[in-house]
Amino acid sequence: MPATSSTVNHLPAATADTSASATGPAAVPKTAPAPARKTAGTKVASKVPAAENTLRILKLLASRRGPMAASNIATALGLPRSSVYHLLGVMEANGFVLHLHEEQRYGLGISAFELSSAYSRQEPLSRLGRPMLAALVDVIGESAHLAVLHGRDVLYIVEERAKNRPSLVTDVGVRLPSHLTASGRAILAALPKSQVRALYPNAAAFTSRHETESPIMKYSALSSHLDQVRQRGYATEHGEVTPGFGSIAAAVTDHVGWPTAAVAVTFLEDKLPADQWPALAARVQKVADDLSVRIHGRPSA
């Protein structure tokens, strides 16, 4: 909270210049220059520009689908080419970028991959997501979980069970076909359509958990459903994982809009009228957006 009292700058009192004539003009005390004000929206210059520019280069390379020429990196970031070449040289020597000599392009190196692996080992999504899901469960009184895409499946990494609610199949470590779950549908809807098609190349990619088939058992049905998910901003599932249970989910996205995970809640469908689903979906979306921000990602529009 900002302080309510103003801060007073105490300056030393001016003293007479003993070398001046007694009859001469009085010495004018020098005052300290007023501190420069930071204008709203003005970016303060970094005190370590080399470090900042190194990180900007890494973030740029991580956001692209392929390696880049040094000249394109310089243009994209508004940096002198000579500076970019110097920084790339240091990064290459330390394994953070790889110079593809034949293509005259730079891509991410093994050290960058090791950072990514360390990120996964430290389970930041689970650590950040667990208290957020617990708070959601306290508010809505229904169970919630966090899932990530693993091949064509979703893998559940956090489950927060609501008090007096039945146990679910979505325990931590459980994998389920993504096209059957709200979590999976939320993630698939945030992927490029070409990526979804690659995951579901033929009818054999679709499976069902029960004798009654899911309405999504071919690519055309999945594609149509994902269009609806994109339009309303959240995904649903009606008893396709466990009969009688419904789910609502929203995607968690990274800094380039790629789906990292999905937040979902599951409940007995006969306990929650259909007209209450949008309000619950808004709460789920809020948690997914907050988690996106926590991982320096991009919340939904």
Side-chain angles (χ1 to χ4, degrees):
M1 180 180 294
T4 55
S5 60
S6 60
T7 302
V8 179
N9 292 322
H10 297 283
L11 299 177
T15 57
D17 186 351
T18 57
S19 65
S21 169
T23 60
V28 179
K30 294 182 179 180
T31 57
R37 291 186 177 182
K38 180 182 176 183
T39 305
T42 301
K43 184 178 179 181
V44 178
S46 172
K47 295 182 179 179
V48 280
E52 181 177 355
N53 290 333
T54 298
L55 295 175
R56 291 176 67 201
I57 291 173
L58 283 173
K59 289 176 68 175
L60 177 65
L61 291 175
S63 70
R64 300 303 173 93
R65 298 297 174 85
M68 296 180 66
S71 58
N72 291 338
I73 294 173
T75 301
L77 298 179
L79 297 173
R81 290 192 184 186
S82 58
S83 297
V84 169
Y85 277 112
H86 285 309
L87 293 174
L88 287 171
V90 174
M91 295 162 69
E92 183 184 7
N94 286 275
F96 284 94
V97 300
L98 179 67
H99 186 204
L100 305 174
H101 294 274
E102 294 79 6
E103 301 179 33
Q104 290 300 302
R105 293 173 183 270
Y106 290 85
L108 292 175
I110 190 65
S111 293
F113 174 76
E114 289 172 349
L115 283 179
S116 175
S117 300
Y119 179 89
S120 300
R121 288 195 302 272
Q122 292 176 10
E123 300 181 328
L125 274 174
S126 299
R127 293 173 183 270
L128 292 173
R130 185 171 288 106
M132 299 173 75
L133 262 63
L136 175 64
V137 169
D138 287 344
V139 172
I140 66 175
E142 302 291 351
S143 298
H145 43 261
L146 184 68
V148 297
L149 192 65
H150 195 278
R152 278 198 296 265
D153 296 338
V154 284
L155 173 67
Y156 293 91
I157 61 174
V158 175
E159 184 192 33
E160 289 292 330
R161 188 177 304 171
K163 186 177 181 181
N164 300 323
R165 288 296 185 266
S167 60
L168 304 170
V169 299
T170 51
D171 285 330
V172 173
V174 168
R175 291 170 49 155
L176 292 173
S178 59
H179 66 280
L180 296 180
T181 69
S183 297
R185 293 168 182 175
I187 295 173
L188 293 175
L191 288 173
K193 291 186 177 182
S194 58
Q195 181 74 15
V196 178
R197 186 54 169 162
L199 288 171
Y200 291 90
N202 50 47
F206 294 87
T207 59
S208 180
R209 280 177 51 84
H210 309 291
E211 292 181 1
T212 303
E213 282 193 351
S214 166
I216 300 178
M217 291 299 292
K218 55 184 180 180
Y219 180 76
S220 59
L222 176 63
S223 180
S224 176
H225 183 85
L226 296 183
D227 285 340
Q228 297 175 30
V229 173
R230 296 183 190 101
Q231 183 175 6
R232 65 177 175 238
Y234 63 90
T236 60
E237 175 258 318
H238 299 268
E240 291 155 78
V241 175
T242 303
F245 284 84
S247 294
I248 294 173
V252 177
T253 53
D254 66 12
H255 65 290
V256 294
W258 194 268
T260 303
V263 173
V265 295
T266 300
F267 45 86
L268 286 165
E269 288 199 73
D270 61 3
K271 301 294 184 182
L272 188 73
D275 60 355
Q276 294 182 21
W277 284 46
L280 180 56
R283 291 186 180 275
V284 174
Q285 282 181 293
K286 178 64 166 57
V287 174
D289 285 349
D290 288 347
L291 185 51
S292 296
V293 172
R294 291 290 302 277
I295 63 171
H296 299 284
R298 182 191 302 170
S300 61

